[in-house]
Amino acid sequence: MLVNTKEILSAAQNGKYGVAAFNVYNLETVQAAITVAKKENHPVIIALGERYFDTVDVEGFAALVKTLAGKSSVPVSLHLDHAYEKESIIRAIRCGFTSVMYDGSKYELAENIRLTKEITEIAHMAGVSVEAEIGSVARGAFSDEEEGDGTLTDPKSAKEFVEETDVDFLAASIGTVHGMYTGKPNIDLDLLEEIRQLVGIPLVLHGGSGTPDEIIKQAVARGICKVNVNTEVSLAATSYLNQAFEQEQKAAHLSAIMAGMQEAMEPVMTKFVRLLKNSNVI
């Protein structure tokens, strides 16, 4: 069933567990995410980034997700990830996305508040929930995201931001990176606790790939309800493709290759879903 992301995250906040938001790009990634969610009997968030609008037909993609979600026994939501343009957000809302992320993190706080508030007013009129970000997640290895400067979220600024913009969930920068870590992760859980004390809405962790399991569990205990996962899933798929070609499967039918790629992604997704599903047990 397709639901509003706010509904999924409100339940996660009350139940003190987390939900994975898997970045997807095609049929196989969507099918893998929903297949795993159904097997694990746990909600899932399907996330499409604005940066993929040039290669993915957004209206067709939304129709695809809505059809597959409608056949699912578990809650599925459709989320627009890291959008910088109002036009992209309006387009996503019009074709049925149930939540959108406006990323104004590159701006000073006052400007970020002004721009995010405008998006929130538009989205809420359509019954769509909104994620936003203050602070900036740095870019690690193998990431396809834009470069961030790694500025950590200031708790008092987070409180002001949420109160002024009326966003539904907030991405907090606490030291994770987009992509894979190139050194030892340095995650500030104490900072996350400070933010949680001042901000009552569900919190979001960008940069789930490569983050140690115990850190993720502790982050959920401190208010994280949504964990974004992109690179680990991508690497599982591309590693399968590389291995398939090395094993002289160059003449294999495309349908077999794509099916194998989906199977390669599912164990990675399962790992995250199980971790977040059981994250209230530390």
Side-chain angles (χ1 to χ4, degrees):
M1 66 196 84
L2 184 71
V3 303
N4 194 302
T5 306
K6 183 176 181 178
E7 179 181 330
I8 289 177
L9 296 186
S10 294
Q13 187 177 43
N14 291 334
K16 296 182 171 57
Y17 58 81
V19 178
F22 293 116
N23 283 93
V24 298
Y25 332 97
N26 60 5
L27 171 66
E28 286 74 27
T29 48
V30 175
Q31 287 184 159
I34 294 179
T35 295
V36 167
K38 289 193 291 187
K39 285 182 179 178
E40 297 299 321
N41 193 29
H42 197 66
V44 70
I45 299 166
I46 303 298
L48 179 70
E50 180 191 65
R51 67 186 300 103
Y52 302 116
F53 276 24
D54 289 340
T55 56
V56 176
D57 182 287
V58 180
E59 289 74 20
F61 176 83
L64 165 68
V65 174
K66 286 187 284 187
T67 298
L68 294 178
K71 298 165 66 176
S72 169
S73 57
V74 298
V76 177
S77 71
L78 177 55
H79 177 69
L80 174 62
D81 193 30
H82 283 290
Y84 306 93
E85 302 297 332
K86 181 168 69 172
E87 291 76 12
S88 299
I89 289 171
I90 292 174
R91 184 180 179 188
I93 291 171
R94 283 176 172 166
C95 64
F97 282 62
T98 63
S99 63
V100 296
M101 177 191 182
Y102 174 68
D103 186 349
S105 59
K106 66 180 180 181
Y107 298 108
E108 295 294 330
L109 180 63
E111 183 68 356
N112 194 357
I113 288 174
R114 184 186 73 81
L115 294 169
T116 303
K117 185 175 182 180
E118 180 182 358
I119 296 300
T120 303
E121 290 173 351
I122 293 170
H124 282 179
M125 283 191 293
V128 172
S129 52
V130 178
E131 175 183 341
E133 179 176 350
I134 59 173
S136 179
V137 177
R139 182 177 179 180
F142 306 108
S143 174
D144 194 36
E145 299 292 347
E146 293 186 359
E147 190 71 50
D149 61 15
T151 300
L152 300 183
T153 300
D154 174 67
K156 291 182 180 178
S157 295
K159 181 176 185 295
E160 178 185 356
F161 184 88
V162 169
E163 291 174 347
E164 292 291 331
T165 61
D166 195 31
V167 294
D168 300 288
F169 25 103
L170 181 72
S173 175
I174 59 170
T176 55
V177 301
H178 283 131
M180 304 301 288
Y181 297 90
T182 55
K184 183 179 179 181
N186 184 20
I187 316 300
D188 194 337
L189 293 171
D190 290 335
L191 174 61
L192 176 59
E193 180 66 30
E194 290 182 53
I195 296 168
R196 197 270 296 267
Q197 292 297 328
L198 296 176
V199 176
I201 62 175
L203 299 175
V204 177
L205 185 71
H206 285 242
S209 295
T211 301
D213 291 359
E214 187 59 30
I215 293 295
I216 290 179
K217 292 178 72 171
Q218 291 184 41
V220 172
R222 289 165 173 80
I224 293 295
C225 299
K226 170 175 174 277
V227 176
N228 286 26
V229 182
N230 186 341
T231 307
E232 273 197 56
V233 175
S234 173
L235 287 174
T238 56
S239 294
Y240 164 79
L241 292 175
N242 287 332
Q243 184 179 22
F245 288 133
E246 288 174 359
Q247 293 176 349
E248 300 301 324
Q249 294 185 29
K250 295 179 182 180
H253 197 276
L254 178 60
S255 61
I257 293 292
M258 300 305 279
M261 187 177 69
Q262 179 176 326
E263 290 179 4
M265 291 185 285
E266 289 181 10
V268 177
M269 292 179 171
T270 299
K271 179 195 77 169
F272 278 101
V273 170
R274 288 180 178 173
L275 175 63
L276 293 167
K277 179 181 178 181
N278 300 313
S279 53
N280 56 355
V281 182
I282 299 181

